[in-house]
Amino acid sequence: MAFIDSTVVNVAMPAIQASFHATVVDVQWVVESYGLFLAALILVGGSLGDILGRRRIFVVGVAIFAAASMGCGVARNIDQLILARSVQGVGAALLVPGSLALISTSFDEKTRGQAIGTWSGFTAITTAIGPVLGGWLVEHASWRWVFFINVPIAAAVVIISYWRIPESRSTVEARVDWWGALLATVVLGGLVNAFIESASLGWRNPLVFGSLIVGLICIVAFILVEANVAAPMLPLKLFQSRSFSSANLLTLLLYAAIGIFFFMFPLNLIQVQGYSATATGGAILPFILLMFLLSRWSGGLVAHYGARGPLILGPLIGALGFVLFALPSVGENYWKAFFPAVIVLGLGMAVTVAPLTTVVMSSVNQDHVGTASGINNAVSRVAGVLAIAVLGIVMVKAFGFRLDNTLAHLPLPPDSLQMLHADEIKLAGLQVPTGLDPDLKIAVKNAIGEAFVFGFRVVMLICAALSVAGAAVTWFMIPKNSEPPKSAANL
């Protein structure tokens, strides 16, 4: 459910933007409200599973997720949709860490890598079905059905959970770190609000500047609380393991790139390249199929060759994929322009994901697998949330820079020019002013598309740099034998 949602909603974003006449800031909040609560509370979800039962918390998360999906589907305005997405994020924070923790507690060290690889493969199947089915629903029914499809899935998940999954919990007595959860939410909320709203309000706005200050202060408070509380949701001692620390840093860099990519790419295909929602879902499909076909194989790489090699090679291949995405212009053929990039990026991620997850989960003992899963998932979600907020600003600025330069050479009436400047925050959703002659309308439309592609190229090159930085982290930080230090076994 969570993996379907993460891709389907991105495909539906252009339709949602058009339905509510939303700006890119509104669209960002639809994605970020979900990601913010998921990232902030996923550590609590892992801890609650360890304490109260991993299956129990997993099922509760599924139920909340399904109810919130109904709320998303019936939302009458963008504010209601954002609110429902926030609740959906809370449900996801309970179910996401529970799924991987249940896998980890059911297999020993020798088979865990392949089990996690299989888990990655089946999440890839649902991720593959999601964009195509979601695109078809957007095109032939409504974007609202993108959320409604979660309800029957949830019913099946609950039945299977009670039928086939044994209950498990940590043998170590612990408590939930509610103060840590509150501070984590405020940190992410403050930082994300500041970055997103700065695009329309500017950094001098009291709401923007105040949110940034609150977020930064709460980062310090969060670290102090986690260092001193009896049962921290983020046990800092886990980071004494070099493998665990470096794997999470690699996760932060790589998933920041992936997060902004999956946010911007559907907008590019639908609003600029003229693809249908169904075709956009299909365009992403080779990436997901590659991860499915290779995930079990890549999960076994750690046992045979160690994690260091795959975690250097994978991000470098991914960086090449991002560079290839920066090359196409407007109106180019998919098979020549985008398909090679999709294949290369998918290969890079397939080589990386299962070994990365295996290193994270193998760096702690069984009593902390829920927490370790939560931390790594939180890092990946935080990476995506922050990337969309921060690189969203880069995209808006690059788009505005290129569009302003192009419009300056067109004979536009002052009122039309002012309207275009005022609505630049809509990016490719920017409407061409009425009343212009046909040739000028075409010129303005082309200028909007070219400005979006310019901004997209800048963001893709930044993503490539992040991937290369991830490979460097592996090279310098992960031990050559790629086995977790013995001291980590007792953490």
Side-chain angles (χ1 to χ4, degrees), residues 141-231:
S142 168
W143 61 263
R144 298 178 185 277
W145 282 97
V146 165
F147 297 102
F148 290 148
I149 62 173
N150 287 325
V151 178
I153 296 174
V157 169
V158 171
I159 293 171
I160 294 171
S161 296
Y162 281 112
W163 177 36
R164 298 294 298 173
I165 300 176
E167 184 61 280
S168 66
R169 54 174 53 86
S170 174
T171 57
V172 179
E173 185 178 354
R175 291 177 294 179
V176 178
D177 178 17
W178 296 113
W179 277 110
L182 176 61
L183 287 170
T185 304
V186 175
V187 166
L188 282 179
L191 295 179
V192 169
N193 184 71
F195 283 112
I196 290 180
E197 295 297 336
S198 68
S200 58
L201 301 178
W203 285 104
R204 295 184 179 181
N205 183 278
L207 175 63
V208 174
F209 184 73
S211 296
L212 180 62
I213 295 300
V214 170
L216 293 175
I217 291 174
C218 286
I219 289 177
V220 178
F222 176 75
I223 294 174
L224 292 175
V225 167
E226 297 308 285
N228 294 283
V229 72

Side-chain angles (χ1 to χ4, degrees), residues 278-301:
T278 306
T280 298
I284 302 171
L285 194 57
F287 172 93
I288 299 164
L289 290 177
L290 260 180
M291 291 193 65
F292 167 66
L293 293 173
L294 299 180
S295 59
R296 187 174 179 85
W297 162 76
S298 64
L301 289 178

Side-chain angles (χ1 to χ4, degrees), residues 250 253 308 311-316 466-476:
L250 171 58
L253 295 169
R308 193 168 184 266
L311 295 184
I312 293 173
L313 181 62
L316 290 178
L466 290 171
S467 298
V468 171
V473 166
T474 303
W475 178 273
F476 289 109

Side-chain angles (χ1 to χ4, degrees), residues 120-140:
S120 299
F122 277 92
T123 60
I125 290 177
T126 58
T127 309
I129 294 172
V132 179
L133 175 60
W136 188 88
L137 289 172
V138 169
E139 190 175 348
H140 295 92

Side-chain angles (χ1 to χ4, degrees), residues 370-439:
T371 303
S373 170
I375 291 173
N376 190 243
N377 272 284
V379 170
S380 66
R381 305 294 174 169
V382 167
V385 167
L386 293 180
I388 292 173
V390 176
L391 294 182
I393 296 176
V394 174
M395 181 67 194
V396 170
K397 296 298 183 183
F399 174 85
F401 171 79
R402 181 61 179 266
L403 184 62
D404 290 346
N405 285 342
T406 305
L407 294 180
H409 296 87
L410 296 178
L412 288 169
D415 57 337
S416 297
L417 188 60
Q418 182 179 2
M419 189 194 79
L420 287 168
H421 288 322
D423 289 344
E424 282 180 349
I425 198 169
K426 292 183 178 180
L427 296 181
L430 180 61
Q431 296 296 313
V432 178
T434 57
L436 302 178
D437 65 72
D439 290 339

